[in-house]
Amino acid sequence: MKKIFYIILMTVLLTILFLVSSVLAQSSEIKILLDNKPLETVVPSVIENDRLFVSARNVVEALGGRITWFPALKLMTININNRIARLVIDDPSLEIDEKVIPLEMPARIIDNRVMIPLEVIKIIAEIDIKWENQANTLFINTIRPYLLKVRSYSHPDKTRVVIDLSEKTEFRADKLINPDRIFIDIMGSIAKLEDTSKQIKIDDGVVKTVRTAQFNEEITRVVFDLYQESKYELFSLIEPDRVVIDIFKSGEETAISETLSTKPEGKPAPGLEITGKRVVIIDPGHGGKDPGAINRTTGLKESEVTLGIALYLEKLLKGAGIPTYLTRSKDEFVYLEDRTNFANQKNGFVFVSLHANSVLNPRPSAEGIETFVLSSKYIGASARDVADRENIASRAHPELDTDLAKIIADLEESANIKYSLDFAEIVQKKLVNYLKLEDRGVKQAPFVVLKGANMVAVIVEVGFISNPKEEKLLKTDKFRENAAQALFEAIKYYIENTPDNGG
Ligand SMILES: [Zn+2]
């Protein structure tokens, strides 16, 4: 036992020694990025006793402060953000706003220069600081997220409020009673709203008013005054960064509003979009500079197949009086995120993204139809290959974006995924019946185009463009018409037989 203990101890000690020496070896190359721009210092920063020391003058001045040095007293005063801090060399304490704060490390003189530990910068400037060991880089961030705009949309079943931010930040929401309210705290943010946006009257039977104010130095708070206690759903979207809240009408309220909406009322509030009908969004995959999969022999492009099916499908849906929008109706490039944003803007109920499959390796025998639903994990054989291929036209790649996996994991908790799985089963069955190709089943994977869709959403892979037999079919109008007919029947069935899920 003792022997094992010593081996472990030695291993740990050697590892620590190795880490420290590798840090010291690189210490001459420490970089500082201030708001992502390199900050040059006269004296290089150093790491000593595992703590980072930076040039006091250079860094304080770069942050807009001023430093005064009293050599006889070994004292420096730092004026920054209307605060005054005092610091004595080799004294592990900092005096700021007449308070004394203990320091882990005192300021020091290294190579005839006054150097201060990083913690001093953190305390005096109240800024966001991040050290990245691998890059040997200190990130100093003074830019704070701004709350730019508050927009509201009244729907028959819910009120949606969108909070536009200058950049992504954390947020939280909670309910309050007497009177019934919901609030959202946008962490670390500053409100930069026009006066007219600080208080918005909605009066739509769900929300009376939305009020926004700086709650404290760190938090902007958005408060929703309600008619009565209401359920809500909170999520964020990117590009641009937004926080979105859906506040739902309660059961009785829905009944009342339905009788009201049949009577002619005054002109609807701006942004009010009451169709009373469920909107279908058809997303022909790829297009423009992104042709999708291409058959090596014939040159048939996936983007052409998906648009062909989409145009037939649009005709069928519109013919049946179902409001339908296409994310593209010609051969053009559209980012995946923009496709979803468009779908959300149109308040879609169902989102169908059309694709044709392909195998990267020459395995021309792969064949059949598969339907995908969003997931944070890959569920089903070859799901990863398909997701990798279909995510290319995204600004963010899920493999690189750990946030994406988190957002998707959150979405999995929501009803949309469960409803999407139901819908996918119907779609898959109809397609296999009509097209008579192999049934590869319903699968799940992290698709960018499905991620932001606030509705039931699926990706359909109607066949393999890399398979010679299926390529011949995908080329024909007959096949595309059949695919459209199958999808039309699946969508129609689903929207006629699904209770409102608030999505
Ligand atoms: Zn595709």
Side-chain angles (χ1 to χ4, degrees):
M1 262 325 269
K2 244 184 176 172
K3 204 171 165 190
I4 292 171
F5 172 76
Y6 281 118
I7 290 171
I8 292 170
L9 184 72
M10 281 311 287
T11 316
V12 169
L13 285 177
L14 284 171
T15 311
I16 290 171
L17 215 72
F18 172 76
L19 286 176
V20 169
S21 62
S22 65
V23 164
L24 286 176
Q26 294 166 1
S27 62
S28 58
E29 304 153 24
I30 292 164
K31 290 186 285 284
I32 302 178
L33 287 182
L34 176 62
D35 294 332
N36 294 320
K37 286 189 212 82
L39 169 64
E40 303 294 342
T41 54
V42 179
V43 224
S45 311
V46 290
I47 293 174
E48 284 204 9
N49 299 326
D50 230 12
R51 292 288 182 278
L52 183 66
F53 287 81
V54 295
S55 157
R57 186 170 301 277
N58 287 148
V59 175
V60 167
E61 284 176 358
L63 291 169
R66 201 157 36 86
I67 239 179
T68 316
W69 172 236
F70 304 92
L73 301 170
K74 290 192 169 180
L75 163 77
M76 77 189 101
T77 60
I78 301 171
N79 279 271
I80 194 165
N81 300 339
N82 299 321
R83 308 172 85 185
I84 298 172
R86 290 161 185 278
L87 204 54
V88 176
I89 297 296
D90 294 328
D91 175 1
S93 67
L94 169 76
E95 195 193 308
I96 186 163
D97 300 337
E98 281 153 32
K99 266 187 300 202
V100 177
I101 298 169
L103 295 174
E104 288 181 1
M105 286 279 165
R108 313 191 26 195
I109 293 182
I110 301 172
D111 289 339
N112 274 328
R113 293 283 175 165
V114 179
M115 304 291 278
I116 48 176
L118 195 53
E119 58 174 322
V120 170
I121 302 283
K122 261 191 211 173
I123 297 166
I124 60 173
E126 297 184 308
I127 44 175
D128 184 30
I129 280 175
K130 208 171 66 195
W131 169 250
E132 247 179 48
N133 219 358
Q134 264 175 340
N136 227 15
T137 302
L138 175 70
F139 292 89
I140 302 178
N141 203 354
T142 65
I143 302 169
R144 287 176 63 181
Y146 290 118
L147 197 155
L148 299 171
K149 216 196 256 171
V150 178
R151 300 175 277 143
S152 79
Y153 305 90
S154 299
H155 297 285
D157 58 333
K158 70 185 176 193
T159 304
R160 168 167 290 188
V161 175
V162 180
I163 302 163
D164 292 307
L165 302 172
S166 64
E167 55 215 278
K168 191 153 85 182
T169 185
E170 310 246 305
F171 55 90
R172 62 170 184 223
D174 208 349
K175 287 183 183 182
L176 298 168
I177 51 162
N178 290 327
D180 286 309
R181 282 157 295 160
I182 295 169
F183 70 86
I184 304 177
D185 282 345
I186 312 286
M187 315 307 278
S189 72
I190 297 172
K192 268 203 172 176
L193 293 175
E194 289 172 16
D195 282 342
T196 50
S197 306
K198 286 179 183 158
Q199 181 147 350
I200 304 170
K201 259 185 124 48
I202 297 183
D203 290 336
D204 64 355
V206 183
V207 179
K208 292 177 186 169
T209 44
V210 183
R211 297 174 284 122
T212 306
Q214 198 69 41
F215 185 66
N216 60 32
E217 269 180 38
E218 290 295 310
I219 296 172
T220 315
R221 177 167 282 191
V222 185
V223 180
F224 305 85
D225 298 308
L226 308 175
Y227 285 82
Q228 62 189 90
E229 198 198 340
S230 304
K231 287 206 173 86
Y232 67 91
E233 237 173 64
L234 187 67
F235 55 97
S236 65
L237 297 169
I238 54 164
E239 293 187 359
D241 291 303
R242 287 156 287 167
V243 173
V244 182
I245 186 167
D246 284 338
I247 302 171
F248 297 102
K249 202 164 264 192
S250 70
E252 305 113 79
E253 281 291 314
T254 310
I256 292 161
S257 80
E258 269 164 13
T259 53
L260 279 177
S261 64
T262 55
K263 290 184 210 151
E265 278 186 307
K267 63 173 193 290
L272 200 68
E273 200 181 323
I274 301 174
T275 59
K277 283 187 171 173
R278 289 165 167 183
V279 173
V280 176
I281 312 290
I282 306 299
D283 174 44
H286 312 278
K289 68 179 184 191
D290 165 30
I294 300 177
N295 183 286
R296 288 181 179 192
T297 323
T298 66
L300 180 68
K301 289 187 266 182
E302 181 184 353
S303 58
E304 183 193 322
V305 174
T306 59
L307 184 59
I309 298 171
L311 292 171
Y312 283 123
L313 180 54
E314 182 190 28
K315 211 185 279 176
L316 290 170
L317 288 163
K318 284 189 170 166
I322 299 168
T324 305
Y325 296 95
L326 264 55
T327 57
R328 69 175 177 100
S329 48
K330 54 179 193 282
D331 188 18
E332 64 179 339
F333 178 79
V334 184
Y335 276 108
L336 296 180
E337 290 86 349
D338 295 341
R339 294 169 190 253
T340 334
N341 287 345
F342 172 81
N344 288 336
Q345 269 166 28
K346 294 293 176 201
N347 199 24
F349 184 75
V350 175
F351 181 85
V352 181
S353 189
L354 299 172
H355 292 264
N357 232 324
S358 163
V359 276
L360 296 172
N361 303 319
R363 249 193 301 142
S365 58
E367 60 180 327
I369 298 161
E370 51 195 7
T371 303
F372 282 89
V373 172
L374 183 70
S375 160
S376 61
K377 293 177 279 296
Y378 300 91
I379 302 169
S382 77
R384 179 183 290 271
D385 291 348
V386 177
D388 283 351
R389 201 159 39 70
E390 304 297 14
N391 283 333
I392 288 169
S394 159
R395 295 189 178 95
H397 198 278
E399 299 295 346
L400 305 174
D401 190 349
T402 49
D403 283 344
L404 182 67
K406 245 198 289 178
I407 294 167
I408 293 170
D410 287 345
L411 283 174
E412 278 175 319
E413 303 295 321
S414 79
N416 279 341
I417 302 268
K418 290 179 220 97
Y419 281 96
S420 296
L421 279 167
D422 291 346
F423 178 54
E425 292 291 346
I426 301 166
V427 165
Q428 177 70 13
K429 217 162 150 193
K430 280 279 180 194
L431 281 170
V432 171
N433 279 348
Y434 264 89
L435 301 175
K436 311 269 181 246
L437 297 180
E438 192 188 304
D439 184 357
R440 299 172 68 93
V442 170
K443 297 175 180 178
Q444 289 187 263
F447 287 101
V448 171
V449 77
L450 298 182
K451 182 206 79 187
N454 185 33
M455 63 200 75
V456 164
V458 297
I459 281 186
V460 175
E461 301 275 353
V462 288
F464 279 75
I465 215 160
S466 50
N467 178 306
K469 194 187 80 195
E470 294 191 353
E471 187 269 347
K472 277 200 190 76
L473 293 170
L474 288 164
K475 248 191 323 224
T476 66
D477 284 335
K478 187 76 211 146
F479 182 90
R480 294 176 191 178
E481 272 179 284
N482 275 337
Q485 183 65 35
L487 289 166
F488 166 67
E489 287 180 18
I491 294 167
K492 192 163 179 289
Y493 177 86
Y494 182 75
I495 58 182
E496 284 171 356
N497 290 284
T498 306
D500 205 335
N501 59 23

